[in-house]
Amino acid sequence: MRYRLTFVAGLALGYVLGTRAGRERYEQLKKAAQRISQNPAVRNTAETAAQQGRQYAGWAFHTFSGKVGDRVPEKVTQRVRSLRERNLDGTPEDDWGTSNT
């Protein structure tokens, strides 16, 4: 219960501070976030992290499937296969809208 109260208090505080800052401050923060996201160093770092995540996910899948084997429901294995085939077809975006390049 204590954690819920802390969360609600934080949510209320964020709302009050956000409404006091107003639209102008929101636009300033939005522009700053866009500038940061367009920075080549940030984009390269994000892409590197995404590639490493894909690599570790593949490793985890192979490790998991080797240990679990046939106990995975067919529906799950079909979904994994369809996702892998879609990525092998050269689809330029993943489920989150980021590029695979």
Side-chain angles (χ1 to χ4, degrees):
M1 187 68 176
R2 184 177 86 183
Y3 297 110
R4 288 183 190 171
L5 290 175
T6 304
F7 175 74
V8 171
L11 190 65
L13 180 64
Y15 176 77
V16 169
L17 292 176
T19 56
R20 285 190 180 173
R23 183 73 177 181
E24 183 179 329
R25 181 66 179 148
Y26 168 77
E27 292 297 331
Q28 288 175 349
L29 293 171
K30 184 178 167 184
K31 286 179 184 177
Q34 286 176 343
R35 278 195 310 267
I36 290 170
S37 68
Q38 296 301 321
N39 185 332
V42 172
R43 293 182 75 131
N44 289 339
T45 303
E47 187 59 36
T48 301
Q51 287 176 353
Q52 286 179 346
R54 287 185 202 103
Q55 179 183 8
Y56 288 127
W59 172 81
F61 170 75
H62 291 296
T63 302
F64 176 77
S65 63
K67 291 182 179 180
V68 175
D70 295 330
R71 291 182 278 175
V72 177
E74 184 62 27
K75 188 174 184 177
V76 173
T77 57
Q78 287 176 354
R79 177 69 175 147
V80 170
R81 284 187 194 123
S82 69
L83 289 172
R84 293 178 90 207
E85 289 171 3
R86 188 179 75 182
N87 287 338
L88 293 176
D89 291 339
T91 306
E93 293 187 353
D94 61 17
D95 288 341
W96 295 278
T98 57
S99 69
N100 286 332
T101 58

